[in-house]
Amino acid sequence: MKIQNIEIPHGLCLAPLAGVSDRAFRLLCRAHGAEYLCSEMISAAAVCYGDKKTPTLARFDKSEMPMAIQLFGHDPSFMAEAARRVAEGTLADYVPIPAAIDINMGCPVRKIVSNGEGSALMRNPALAADIVRAVVGAVSLPVTVKIRAGFDDAHKNAPELAKRLEDAGAAMICVHGRTREQMYAGRADLGVIAAVKAAVKIPVVGNGDIFSAADASRMLAETGCDGVMIARGAMGNPWIFDELHAEIDGVPYTPPTEREIIDTAAHHLDLMLENKPADIAVREARKIIAYYLHDFAGAAAARGRLNAAESAEEMKEILYSLL
């Protein structure tokens, strides 16, 4: 798959997950074969108003390239100005210029939607297109968009919206096969993703319900999409990208041992500590690290202990006690 000048050989992308897709998580997924990364979503208004905490969400290392910075907002002028600052490298001296700007039109969270942002934009195709047009006009980087199947079952307008976004200059569309009303319940509608692929000439990436190589193969076969974006399937399981590489390349895949899983969970914690203050890293890690324990005996009790842990050392003791 190719997004303008960005090569993504196997079409394997990591989704922008709020509160999850930080630098530590991205680095781990990159090490296991994720070919295209994306930041957590960043408020365009916060960028324009100079919020001092916002650039930390956009922080990444050049080793993560190709990497997209995802922006959300409902005002075309704010979106264009925020994108310009990102594309010119003036957001902060520790934020490099990314490979692309991604626009969030899929977030289903109430506080985002109630402000007319995220998936709320699917109810206003004209404004959505204006935003893309404004951002494309402000930057020289590829501009991509993440959308959902629609706002609700009665308004699955992803194919029509995708066409308008392509006409406005979008270089790639990622489609989550659920509506906003579904949130993350039910099943992703592969038919909608296939319809988007048929409606546009730019690359289309499918997203939703990919937890294994078999899921990705089904997505690709039934939709004809150019790549897949992994979200929850990578949480506690960065090896999913190794598995997908093996499936595509036709080579055997060896799942990680229990020791490798625990070692990786501990390494994930270390990476969080390297990139965040210790108290924040430990607090956020309680939820993140717990995902690694899905198949372990005693996982429920261990999660409870992790949730009460006060230090990284205590968390590691809990992890290794499972072996």
Side-chain angles (χ1 to χ4, degrees), residues 59-90:
R59 182 184 178 189
F60 71 95
D61 188 86
K62 290 183 179 180
S63 65
E64 298 179 62
M65 292 287 275
M67 164 89 182
I69 296 294
Q70 188 185 75
L71 300 173
F72 74 92
H74 65 273
D75 186 304
S77 62
F78 273 71
M79 289 290 285
E81 174 59 19
R84 183 190 65 77
R85 295 187 191 185
V86 170
E88 292 180 354
T90 59

PDB file of all heavy atoms in Angstrom, residues 59-90:
ATOM      1  N   ARG A  59       4.497  14.001  20.772  1.00  0.00           N
ATOM      2  CA  ARG A  59       5.914  13.659  20.796  1.00  0.00           C
ATOM      3  C   ARG A  59       6.162  12.277  20.202  1.00  0.00           C
ATOM      4  O   ARG A  59       5.481  11.311  20.537  1.00  0.00           O
ATOM      5  CB  ARG A  59       6.434  13.693  22.226  1.00  0.00           C
ATOM      6  CG  ARG A  59       7.928  13.400  22.344  1.00  0.00           C
ATOM      7  CD  ARG A  59       8.360  13.350  23.793  1.00  0.00           C
ATOM      8  NE  ARG A  59       9.772  13.035  23.900  1.00  0.00           N
ATOM      9  CZ  ARG A  59      10.387  12.754  25.036  1.00  0.00           C
ATOM     10  NH1 ARG A  59       9.692  12.753  26.170  1.00  0.00           N
ATOM     11  NH2 ARG A  59      11.668  12.477  25.060  1.00  0.00           N
ATOM     12  N   PHE A  60       7.114  12.197  19.312  1.00  0.00           N
ATOM     13  CA  PHE A  60       7.524  10.898  18.778  1.00  0.00           C
ATOM     14  C   PHE A  60       8.977  10.962  18.357  1.00  0.00           C
ATOM     15  O   PHE A  60       9.584  12.039  18.300  1.00  0.00           O
ATOM     16  CB  PHE A  60       6.620  10.469  17.607  1.00  0.00           C
ATOM     17  CG  PHE A  60       6.811  11.261  16.327  1.00  0.00           C
ATOM     18  CD1 PHE A  60       7.650  10.790  15.327  1.00  0.00           C
ATOM     19  CD2 PHE A  60       6.133  12.456  16.113  1.00  0.00           C
ATOM     20  CE1 PHE A  60       7.823  11.505  14.141  1.00  0.00           C
ATOM     21  CE2 PHE A  60       6.299  13.177  14.938  1.00  0.00           C
ATOM     22  CZ  PHE A  60       7.142  12.701  13.951  1.00  0.00           C
ATOM     23  N   ASP A  61       9.529   9.808  18.096  1.00  0.00           N
ATOM     24  CA  ASP A  61      10.927   9.699  17.685  1.00  0.00           C
ATOM     25  C   ASP A  61      10.972   9.400  16.194  1.00  0.00           C
ATOM     26  O   ASP A  61      10.062   8.754  15.650  1.00  0.00           O
ATOM     27  CB  ASP A  61      11.611   8.576  18.475  1.00  0.00           C
ATOM     28  CG  ASP A  61      13.104   8.536  18.224  1.00  0.00           C
ATOM     29  OD1 ASP A  61      13.836   9.258  18.921  1.00  0.00           O
ATOM     30  OD2 ASP A  61      13.538   7.780  17.325  1.00  0.00           O
ATOM     31  N   LYS A  62      12.014   9.851  15.540  1.00  0.00           N
ATOM     32  CA  LYS A  62      12.124   9.627  14.094  1.00  0.00           C
ATOM     33  C   LYS A  62      12.153   8.142  13.736  1.00  0.00           C
ATOM     34  O   LYS A  62      11.827   7.763  12.610  1.00  0.00           O
ATOM     35  CB  LYS A  62      13.356  10.343  13.544  1.00  0.00           C
ATOM     36  CG  LYS A  62      13.207  11.865  13.546  1.00  0.00           C
ATOM     37  CD  LYS A  62      14.414  12.549  12.939  1.00  0.00           C
ATOM     38  CE  LYS A  62      14.231  14.071  12.936  1.00  0.00           C
ATOM     39  NZ  LYS A  62      15.397  14.770  12.359  1.00  0.00           N
ATOM     40  N   SER A  63      12.524   7.294  14.706  1.00  0.00           N
ATOM     41  CA  SER A  63      12.519   5.851  14.456  1.00  0.00           C
ATOM     42  C   SER A  63      11.101   5.319  14.270  1.00  0.00           C
ATOM     43  O   SER A  63      10.916   4.195  13.798  1.00  0.00           O
ATOM     44  CB  SER A  63      13.191   5.110  15.614  1.00  0.00           C
ATOM     45  OG  SER A  63      12.450   5.249  16.812  1.00  0.00           O
ATOM     46  N   GLU A  64      10.095   6.120  14.655  1.00  0.00           N
ATOM     47  CA  GLU A  64       8.705   5.700  14.499  1.00  0.00           C
ATOM     48  C   GLU A  64       8.152   5.996  13.111  1.00  0.00           C
ATOM     49  O   GLU A  64       7.025   5.587  12.792  1.00  0.00           O
ATOM     50  CB  GLU A  64       7.829   6.393  15.544  1.00  0.00           C
ATOM     51  CG  GLU A  64       8.179   6.050  16.981  1.00  0.00           C
ATOM     52  CD  GLU A  64       7.297   6.783  17.971  1.00  0.00           C
ATOM     53  OE1 GLU A  64       6.070   6.575  17.948  1.00  0.00           O
ATOM     54  OE2 GLU A  64       7.840   7.572  18.773  1.00  0.00           O
ATOM     55  N   MET A  65       8.878   6.707  12.307  1.00  0.00           N
ATOM     56  CA  MET A  65       8.394   7.030  10.964  1.00  0.00           C
ATOM     57  C   MET A  65       8.257   5.771  10.116  1.00  0.00           C
ATOM     58  O   MET A  65       9.049   4.844  10.241  1.00  0.00           O
ATOM     59  CB  MET A  65       9.336   8.016  10.299  1.00  0.00           C
ATOM     60  CG  MET A  65       9.342   9.398  10.946  1.00  0.00           C
ATOM     61  SD  MET A  65       7.843  10.338  10.572  1.00  0.00           S
ATOM     62  CE  MET A  65       8.295  11.049   8.978  1.00  0.00           C
ATOM     63  N   PRO A  66       7.240   5.704   9.212  1.00  0.00           N
ATOM     64  CA  PRO A  66       6.254   6.753   8.950  1.00  0.00           C
ATOM     65  C   PRO A  66       5.201   6.830  10.053  1.00  0.00           C
ATOM     66  O   PRO A  66       4.645   5.831  10.476  1.00  0.00           O
ATOM     67  CB  PRO A  66       5.632   6.328   7.622  1.00  0.00           C
ATOM     68  CG  PRO A  66       5.790   4.841   7.596  1.00  0.00           C
ATOM     69  CD  PRO A  66       7.080   4.555   8.304  1.00  0.00           C
ATOM     70  N   MET A  67       4.964   8.045  10.474  1.00  0.00           N
ATOM     71  CA  MET A  67       4.112   8.340  11.619  1.00  0.00           C
ATOM     72  C   MET A  67       3.173   9.494  11.271  1.00  0.00           C
ATOM     73  O   MET A  67       3.588  10.470  10.651  1.00  0.00           O
ATOM     74  CB  MET A  67       5.027   8.726  12.784  1.00  0.00           C
ATOM     75  CG  MET A  67       4.370   9.411  13.943  1.00  0.00           C
ATOM     76  SD  MET A  67       3.774   8.233  15.166  1.00  0.00           S
ATOM     77  CE  MET A  67       3.028   9.374  16.330  1.00  0.00           C
ATOM     78  N   ALA A  68       1.920   9.351  11.658  1.00  0.00           N
ATOM     79  CA  ALA A  68       0.947  10.421  11.439  1.00  0.00           C
ATOM     80  C   ALA A  68       0.585  11.075  12.766  1.00  0.00           C
ATOM     81  O   ALA A  68       0.552  10.411  13.805  1.00  0.00           O
ATOM     82  CB  ALA A  68      -0.317   9.879  10.780  1.00  0.00           C
ATOM     83  N   ILE A  69       0.329  12.354  12.727  1.00  0.00           N
ATOM     84  CA  ILE A  69      -0.230  13.071  13.875  1.00  0.00           C
ATOM     85  C   ILE A  69      -1.714  13.258  13.602  1.00  0.00           C
ATOM     86  O   ILE A  69      -2.098  13.779  12.557  1.00  0.00           O
ATOM     87  CB  ILE A  69       0.436  14.446  14.059  1.00  0.00           C
ATOM     88  CG1 ILE A  69       1.922  14.301  14.383  1.00  0.00           C
ATOM     89  CG2 ILE A  69      -0.281  15.231  15.165  1.00  0.00           C
ATOM     90  CD1 ILE A  69       2.234  13.656  15.704  1.00  0.00           C
ATOM     91  N   GLN A  70      -2.549  12.805  14.545  1.00  0.00           N
ATOM     92  CA  GLN A  70      -3.997  12.916  14.348  1.00  0.00           C
ATOM     93  C   GLN A  70      -4.558  14.129  15.077  1.00  0.00           C
ATOM     94  O   GLN A  70      -4.312  14.327  16.263  1.00  0.00           O
ATOM     95  CB  GLN A  70      -4.727  11.661  14.828  1.00  0.00           C
ATOM     96  CG  GLN A  70      -6.212  11.701  14.454  1.00  0.00           C
ATOM     97  CD  GLN A  70      -7.012  10.544  15.003  1.00  0.00           C
ATOM     98  OE1 GLN A  70      -7.305  10.505  16.184  1.00  0.00           O
ATOM     99  NE2 GLN A  70      -7.393   9.612  14.132  1.00  0.00           N
ATOM    100  N   LEU A  71      -5.322  14.921  14.359  1.00  0.00           N
ATOM    101  CA  LEU A  71      -5.974  16.106  14.905  1.00  0.00           C
ATOM    102  C   LEU A  71      -7.489  15.921  14.918  1.00  0.00           C
ATOM    103  O   LEU A  71      -8.044  15.225  14.059  1.00  0.00           O
ATOM    104  CB  LEU A  71      -5.631  17.341  14.061  1.00  0.00           C
ATOM    105  CG  LEU A  71      -4.154  17.726  13.954  1.00  0.00           C
ATOM    106  CD1 LEU A  71      -3.987  18.854  12.940  1.00  0.00           C
ATOM    107  CD2 LEU A  71      -3.593  18.144  15.312  1.00  0.00           C
ATOM    108  N   PHE A  72      -8.136  16.555  15.891  1.00  0.00           N
ATOM    109  CA  PHE A  72      -9.601  16.581  15.860  1.00  0.00           C
ATOM    110  C   PHE A  72     -10.078  18.008  16.117  1.00  0.00           C
ATOM    111  O   PHE A  72      -9.405  18.807  16.768  1.00  0.00           O
ATOM    112  CB  PHE A  72     -10.205  15.613  16.880  1.00  0.00           C
ATOM    113  CG  PHE A  72     -10.123  16.055  18.321  1.00  0.00           C
ATOM    114  CD1 PHE A  72     -11.164  16.768  18.909  1.00  0.00           C
ATOM    115  CD2 PHE A  72      -9.013  15.748  19.097  1.00  0.00           C
ATOM    116  CE1 PHE A  72     -11.098  17.168  20.245  1.00  0.00           C
ATOM    117  CE2 PHE A  72      -8.932  16.143  20.430  1.00  0.00           C
ATOM    118  CZ  PHE A  72      -9.975  16.854  21.015  1.00  0.00           C
ATOM    119  N   GLY A  73     -11.238  18.317  15.561  1.00  0.00           N
ATOM    120  CA  GLY A  73     -11.814  19.648  15.704  1.00  0.00           C
ATOM    121  C   GLY A  73     -12.976  19.802  14.750  1.00  0.00           C
ATOM    122  O   GLY A  73     -13.237  18.925  13.924  1.00  0.00           O
ATOM    123  N   HIS A  74     -13.680  20.921  14.851  1.00  0.00           N
ATOM    124  CA  HIS A  74     -14.833  21.158  13.978  1.00  0.00           C
ATOM    125  C   HIS A  74     -14.724  22.466  13.204  1.00  0.00           C
ATOM    126  O   HIS A  74     -15.590  22.769  12.396  1.00  0.00           O
ATOM    127  CB  HIS A  74     -16.130  21.164  14.790  1.00  0.00           C
ATOM    128  CG  HIS A  74     -16.216  22.295  15.778  1.00  0.00           C
ATOM    129  ND1 HIS A  74     -15.708  22.199  17.054  1.00  0.00           N
ATOM    130  CD2 HIS A  74     -16.728  23.555  15.672  1.00  0.00           C
ATOM    131  CE1 HIS A  74     -15.915  23.340  17.689  1.00  0.00           C
ATOM    132  NE2 HIS A  74     -16.531  24.190  16.872  1.00  0.00           N
ATOM    133  N   ASP A  75     -13.661  23.222  13.443  1.00  0.00           N
ATOM    134  CA  ASP A  75     -13.483  24.509  12.773  1.00  0.00           C
ATOM    135  C   ASP A  75     -12.387  24.381  11.712  1.00  0.00           C
ATOM    136  O   ASP A  75     -11.234  24.119  12.051  1.00  0.00           O
ATOM    137  CB  ASP A  75     -13.105  25.570  13.805  1.00  0.00           C
ATOM    138  CG  ASP A  75     -13.046  26.962  13.203  1.00  0.00           C
ATOM    139  OD1 ASP A  75     -12.295  27.155  12.222  1.00  0.00           O
ATOM    140  OD2 ASP A  75     -13.731  27.865  13.717  1.00  0.00           O
ATOM    141  N   PRO A  76     -12.721  24.554  10.442  1.00  0.00           N
ATOM    142  CA  PRO A  76     -11.713  24.397   9.382  1.00  0.00           C
ATOM    143  C   PRO A  76     -10.482  25.275   9.572  1.00  0.00           C
ATOM    144  O   PRO A  76      -9.355  24.831   9.323  1.00  0.00           O
ATOM    145  CB  PRO A  76     -12.478  24.783   8.108  1.00  0.00           C
ATOM    146  CG  PRO A  76     -13.904  24.459   8.419  1.00  0.00           C
ATOM    147  CD  PRO A  76     -14.068  24.810   9.871  1.00  0.00           C
ATOM    148  N   SER A  77     -10.670  26.508  10.051  1.00  0.00           N
ATOM    149  CA  SER A  77      -9.524  27.402  10.209  1.00  0.00           C
ATOM    150  C   SER A  77      -8.607  26.939  11.333  1.00  0.00           C
ATOM    151  O   SER A  77      -7.373  26.994  11.209  1.00  0.00           O
ATOM    152  CB  SER A  77     -10.003  28.838  10.469  1.00  0.00           C
ATOM    153  OG  SER A  77     -10.751  28.920  11.667  1.00  0.00           O
ATOM    154  N   PHE A  78      -9.179  26.467  12.429  1.00  0.00           N
ATOM    155  CA  PHE A  78      -8.371  25.940  13.524  1.00  0.00           C
ATOM    156  C   PHE A  78      -7.645  24.666  13.086  1.00  0.00           C
ATOM    157  O   PHE A  78      -6.470  24.460  13.415  1.00  0.00           O
ATOM    158  CB  PHE A  78      -9.235  25.652  14.752  1.00  0.00           C
ATOM    159  CG  PHE A  78      -9.428  26.823  15.659  1.00  0.00           C
ATOM    160  CD1 PHE A  78     -10.232  27.891  15.267  1.00  0.00           C
ATOM    161  CD2 PHE A  78      -8.827  26.883  16.897  1.00  0.00           C
ATOM    162  CE1 PHE A  78     -10.427  28.984  16.095  1.00  0.00           C
ATOM    163  CE2 PHE A  78      -9.013  27.979  17.740  1.00  0.00           C
ATOM    164  CZ  PHE A  78      -9.810  29.027  17.336  1.00  0.00           C
ATOM    165  N   MET A  79      -8.350  23.811  12.378  1.00  0.00           N
ATOM    166  CA  MET A  79      -7.743  22.562  11.902  1.00  0.00           C
ATOM    167  C   MET A  79      -6.587  22.858  10.952  1.00  0.00           C
ATOM    168  O   MET A  79      -5.519  22.222  11.026  1.00  0.00           O
ATOM    169  CB  MET A  79      -8.796  21.697  11.213  1.00  0.00           C
ATOM    170  CG  MET A  79      -9.818  21.089  12.168  1.00  0.00           C
ATOM    171  SD  MET A  79      -9.128  19.810  13.236  1.00  0.00           S
ATOM    172  CE  MET A  79      -8.981  18.456  12.056  1.00  0.00           C
ATOM    173  N   ALA A  80      -6.768  23.827  10.063  1.00  0.00           N
ATOM    174  CA  ALA A  80      -5.719  24.178   9.112  1.00  0.00           C
ATOM    175  C   ALA A  80      -4.508  24.762   9.825  1.00  0.00           C
ATOM    176  O   ALA A  80      -3.356  24.430   9.512  1.00  0.00           O
ATOM    177  CB  ALA A  80      -6.265  25.166   8.081  1.00  0.00           C
ATOM    178  N   GLU A  81      -4.741  25.650  10.799  1.00  0.00           N
ATOM    179  CA  GLU A  81      -3.632  26.278  11.521  1.00  0.00           C
ATOM    180  C   GLU A  81      -2.868  25.245  12.360  1.00  0.00           C
ATOM    181  O   GLU A  81      -1.634  25.241  12.398  1.00  0.00           O
ATOM    182  CB  GLU A  81      -4.143  27.400  12.410  1.00  0.00           C
ATOM    183  CG  GLU A  81      -3.094  28.037  13.308  1.00  0.00           C
ATOM    184  CD  GLU A  81      -1.918  28.651  12.564  1.00  0.00           C
ATOM    185  OE1 GLU A  81      -2.047  28.913  11.341  1.00  0.00           O
ATOM    186  OE2 GLU A  81      -0.864  28.868  13.195  1.00  0.00           O
ATOM    187  N   ALA A  82      -3.596  24.354  13.029  1.00  0.00           N
ATOM    188  CA  ALA A  82      -2.938  23.311  13.822  1.00  0.00           C
ATOM    189  C   ALA A  82      -2.114  22.393  12.924  1.00  0.00           C
ATOM    190  O   ALA A  82      -0.975  22.041  13.261  1.00  0.00           O
ATOM    191  CB  ALA A  82      -3.978  22.507  14.588  1.00  0.00           C
ATOM    192  N   ALA A  83      -2.678  22.016  11.792  1.00  0.00           N
ATOM    193  CA  ALA A  83      -1.954  21.161  10.851  1.00  0.00           C
ATOM    194  C   ALA A  83      -0.708  21.860  10.329  1.00  0.00           C
ATOM    195  O   ALA A  83       0.355  21.234  10.177  1.00  0.00           O
ATOM    196  CB  ALA A  83      -2.871  20.776   9.696  1.00  0.00           C
ATOM    197  N   ARG A  84      -0.830  23.159  10.059  1.00  0.00           N
ATOM    198  CA  ARG A  84       0.337  23.904   9.567  1.00  0.00           C
ATOM    199  C   ARG A  84       1.465  23.891  10.587  1.00  0.00           C
ATOM    200  O   ARG A  84       2.630  23.686  10.240  1.00  0.00           O
ATOM    201  CB  ARG A  84      -0.071  25.350   9.249  1.00  0.00           C
ATOM    202  CG  ARG A  84       1.058  26.189   8.652  1.00  0.00           C
ATOM    203  CD  ARG A  84       0.688  27.662   8.584  1.00  0.00           C
ATOM    204  NE  ARG A  84       0.504  28.250   9.903  1.00  0.00           N
ATOM    205  CZ  ARG A  84       1.503  28.591  10.723  1.00  0.00           C
ATOM    206  NH1 ARG A  84       2.761  28.384  10.355  1.00  0.00           N
ATOM    207  NH2 ARG A  84       1.239  29.114  11.906  1.00  0.00           N
ATOM    208  N   ARG A  85       1.138  24.099  11.853  1.00  0.00           N
ATOM    209  CA  ARG A  85       2.170  24.101  12.891  1.00  0.00           C
ATOM    210  C   ARG A  85       2.835  22.731  13.010  1.00  0.00           C
ATOM    211  O   ARG A  85       4.055  22.631  13.176  1.00  0.00           O
ATOM    212  CB  ARG A  85       1.562  24.512  14.240  1.00  0.00           C
ATOM    213  CG  ARG A  85       1.054  25.944  14.262  1.00  0.00           C
ATOM    214  CD  ARG A  85       0.611  26.357  15.649  1.00  0.00           C
ATOM    215  NE  ARG A  85      -0.110  27.621  15.625  1.00  0.00           N
ATOM    216  CZ  ARG A  85      -0.532  28.255  16.713  1.00  0.00           C
ATOM    217  NH1 ARG A  85      -0.303  27.738  17.920  1.00  0.00           N
ATOM    218  NH2 ARG A  85      -1.191  29.408  16.610  1.00  0.00           N
ATOM    219  N   VAL A  86       2.030  21.694  12.918  1.00  0.00           N
ATOM    220  CA  VAL A  86       2.583  20.339  12.972  1.00  0.00           C
ATOM    221  C   VAL A  86       3.485  20.083  11.764  1.00  0.00           C
ATOM    222  O   VAL A  86       4.607  19.570  11.888  1.00  0.00           O
ATOM    223  CB  VAL A  86       1.456  19.287  13.023  1.00  0.00           C
ATOM    224  CG1 VAL A  86       2.014  17.879  12.842  1.00  0.00           C
ATOM    225  CG2 VAL A  86       0.695  19.381  14.349  1.00  0.00           C
ATOM    226  N   ALA A  87       3.008  20.449  10.583  1.00  0.00           N
ATOM    227  CA  ALA A  87       3.741  20.175   9.339  1.00  0.00           C
ATOM    228  C   ALA A  87       5.012  21.009   9.204  1.00  0.00           C
ATOM    229  O   ALA A  87       5.950  20.602   8.510  1.00  0.00           O
ATOM    230  CB  ALA A  87       2.827  20.421   8.137  1.00  0.00           C
ATOM    231  N   GLU A  88       5.027  22.153   9.858  1.00  0.00           N
ATOM    232  CA  GLU A  88       6.224  23.002   9.801  1.00  0.00           C
ATOM    233  C   GLU A  88       7.191  22.719  10.948  1.00  0.00           C
ATOM    234  O   GLU A  88       8.267  23.316  11.024  1.00  0.00           O
ATOM    235  CB  GLU A  88       5.815  24.478   9.817  1.00  0.00           C
ATOM    236  CG  GLU A  88       5.094  24.908   8.548  1.00  0.00           C
ATOM    237  CD  GLU A  88       4.698  26.374   8.575  1.00  0.00           C
ATOM    238  OE1 GLU A  88       4.891  27.024   9.631  1.00  0.00           O
ATOM    239  OE2 GLU A  88       4.200  26.866   7.551  1.00  0.00           O
ATOM    240  N   GLY A  89       6.803  21.839  11.859  1.00  0.00           N
ATOM    241  CA  GLY A  89       7.678  21.485  12.965  1.00  0.00           C
ATOM    242  C   GLY A  89       7.772  22.537  14.035  1.00  0.00           C
ATOM    243  O   GLY A  89       8.762  22.579  14.782  1.00  0.00           O
ATOM    244  N   THR A  90       6.750  23.397  14.149  1.00  0.00           N
ATOM    245  CA  THR A  90       6.790  24.468  15.145  1.00  0.00           C
ATOM    246  C   THR A  90       5.907  24.182  16.357  1.00  0.00           C
ATOM    247  O   THR A  90       5.743  25.044  17.222  1.00  0.00           O
ATOM    248  CB  THR A  90       6.350  25.809  14.511  1.00  0.00           C
ATOM    249  OG1 THR A  90       5.022  25.675  13.985  1.00  0.00           O
ATOM    250  CG2 THR A  90       7.289  26.204  13.388  1.00  0.00           C
TER     251      THR A  90
END
